[in-house]
Amino acid sequence: MSELVPGGNLALPGGALKLRVAGPFDVSALVTDGGGKVGGDGDFVFYNQPDAPGIRLRGDTLAVDPARLRPGALRVTVAVSTAEPGTPLGRLPAPRLDVTDSGGRPVARFAPPRPGRESVLLLAELYARGPAWKLRAVGQGYADGLAGLARDFGVNVADDGPPPTPAPDSGGFLGLVNAARAQAGSPAVSVDPRLASAARAHAFAMAAAGRLTAEGPDGVSVHQRTAAAGYAYVTVGEHLVSGPRTPDEFVAYCLRTGQSRGTLLDPAFVHVGLAHADAGDRYWTALWAAPLTPGAAARTAAEVVALTNAERARAGLRPLAADPQLTRAAQAHCADMVARDFYAHTSPDGSQPWDRAAAAGSRRRTIGENIACGQRSPAEVVEGWMNSPGHRANILKPDFTHIGVGYAGGGRAGTYWAQLFGG
């Protein structure tokens, strides 16, 4: 695999390619001829027009087959823009382009210098050289927005262009949701553009797969998309739905069933993002979340400790004291499971719970660990542990005197929990 620098070129293998830019960005492409202009508005590929001959956009990934581009096409320019209108790219994580061949093998990677105030970045170009195609790394900021970029390439844009995120309250979605929440005594939610961006990427992924799925054809889960969009959460919920044609039909559908209704009305959520994509059927993704703050993280850990000690009290046992070294080790393990995409007591490097406790400075002689993933609240995770004989034994072990609790959002399961016991 080649690591490119701005201006660098690379001969491409034959066949189709995938170009992915993960994160809170909208990916677009312009197909042009030798004069650098599009042949028509259909040569502009973006979230509202994701297909053209030889090129397809699904979520954060462009699939390009140079041999199938329209006649006369000699160049494909790849751009990224901010998912939230008016947000400069400099406020977001630096974008990175990953190119793979038809077999999924890495071809090239390009991480341009971090943009500044620009809202669009010309990232790279695929261009013809005789019968072959090459890739050029560009990394040039563009200050006039996505509509201005399209105009300069010859696309007919009547106004400032469609907003990068389809209006989440189209059809009164937010009003319907907050009316239902108010009736249930839950606080109102507001739209977060990061959640909307992640929801849009996942809706397109489901449309590409042709089915409802928590993990798209690209192997990325809806929760991993949320983390990649830059939203760190303390609690999260999702609706993955197909069929409804309008936001009001979507809300009505969610309110009809128990679990879906509970998610929509959950008082813990403060933000939401909604999007849909069409592929014969209409696929919807709604993401509900509350942001992770130091206070929220501390309250979550404290609630797990309190619930654990309540179970020990019922068994006539002394409460466990919170231990900062065990807490650091438990938190690090949760973060590691998210970052390295695994779920186990043994880390990929072979370390065990007692190794992690010692590395965090703990001198406890006896160490035990409970882990869990997917539970959305302290009450749910402690209940799950108590319903499992091995985990219950750790919680009720008389020899343990101290505890550390870790929590991390993201990864395939959405939430990862750890209790590290010491005695």
Side-chain angles (χ1 to χ4, degrees), residues 67-402:
R68 296 181 179 274
L69 295 173
R70 66 163 175 83
L74 297 175
R75 187 181 305 269
V76 178
T77 301
V78 180
V80 294
S81 54
T82 54
E84 181 183 6
T87 300
L89 284 165
R91 291 162 112 190
L92 302 177
R96 189 186 79 188
L97 173 68
D98 289 286
V99 183
T100 55
D101 66 13
S102 57
R105 292 176 289 272
V107 173
R109 177 177 294 163
F110 174 48
R114 190 181 188 87
R117 299 182 60 82
E118 302 94 338
S119 59
V120 176
L121 182 70
L122 299 180
L123 195 55
E125 296 174 337
L126 282 71
Y127 63 98
R129 277 295 179 265
W133 281 75
K134 301 184 76 173
L135 173 71
R136 176 185 294 119
V138 180
Q140 175 186 339
Y142 196 92
D144 200 20
L146 194 58
L149 174 68
R151 284 193 194 96
D152 287 353
F153 276 76
V155 178
N156 181 24
V157 181
D159 51 26
D160 286 338
T165 303
D169 200 23
S170 174
F173 166 72
L174 200 60
L176 291 166
V177 164
N178 282 332
R181 289 174 66 86
Q183 191 172 5
S186 298
V189 294
S190 60
V191 173
D192 186 281
R194 297 163 296 181
L195 293 180
S197 175
R200 186 171 62 254
H202 197 71
F204 275 113
M206 291 194 298
R211 60 187 175 89
L212 296 178
T213 173
E215 188 174 298
D218 54 4
V220 180
S221 77
V222 65
H223 305 108
Q224 288 170 316
R225 296 184 204 283
T226 304
Y231 192 106
Y233 53 80
V234 69
T235 186
V236 68
E238 66 282 334
H239 287 114
L240 308 178
V241 175
S242 65
R245 303 304 298 177
T246 63
D248 59 321
E249 290 180 11
F250 171 83
V251 172
Y253 174 89
C254 293
L255 288 173
R256 279 200 297 269
T257 57
Q259 185 173 351
S260 292
R261 179 182 178 88
T263 297
L264 192 147
L265 301 179
D266 193 328
F269 297 137
V270 297
H271 293 133
V272 65
L274 174 73
H276 70 263
D278 293 331
D281 206 347
R282 176 161 289 183
Y283 293 87
W284 297 83
T285 299
L287 289 168
W288 311 79
L292 180 67
T293 64
R299 285 191 298 273
T300 298
E303 189 172 349
V304 172
V305 173
L307 290 168
T308 299
N309 280 331
E311 297 293 346
R312 287 177 65 89
R314 273 191 280 273
L317 299 172
R318 295 174 57 186
L320 302 172
D323 182 283
Q325 286 83 22
L326 295 178
T327 298
R328 279 200 300 272
Q331 184 60 43
H333 189 52
C334 289
D336 191 32
M337 287 191 287
V338 170
R340 292 202 275 182
D341 193 16
F342 75 99
Y343 175 67
H345 293 285
T346 303
S347 299
D349 59 13
S351 63
Q352 302 286 345
W354 44 88
D355 300 319
R356 295 189 288 271
S362 175
R363 294 174 179 258
R364 304 287 166 195
R365 291 176 296 175
T366 305
I367 296 293
E369 184 180 71
N370 285 345
I371 59 174
C373 65
Q375 294 81 4
R376 304 304 172 88
S377 69
E380 185 180 347
V381 73
V382 173
E383 181 182 7
W385 281 326
M386 288 300 294
N387 289 331
S388 167
H391 298 94
R392 178 188 179 92
N394 272 338
I395 288 175
L396 301 182
K397 187 171 182 176
D399 292 346
F400 288 144
T401 57
H402 291 76

Side-chain angles (χ1 to χ4, degrees), residues 16-88:
L17 301 160
K18 286 190 176 180
L19 298 89
R20 183 181 183 219
V21 186
F25 309 105
D26 283 316
V27 183
S28 55
L30 293 128
V31 183
T32 56
D33 54 24
K37 296 294 183 181
V38 299
D41 294 351
D43 282 344
F44 182 28
V45 177
F46 66 119
Y47 47 86
N48 274 347
Q49 184 171 272
D51 295 282
I55 186 166
R56 183 180 70 180
L57 173 65
R58 294 294 184 267
D60 58 11
T61 302
L62 280 165
V64 181
D65 188 345
R68 296 181 179 274
L69 295 173
R70 66 163 175 83
L74 297 175
R75 187 181 305 269
V76 178
T77 301
V78 180
V80 294
S81 54
T82 54
E84 181 183 6
T87 300

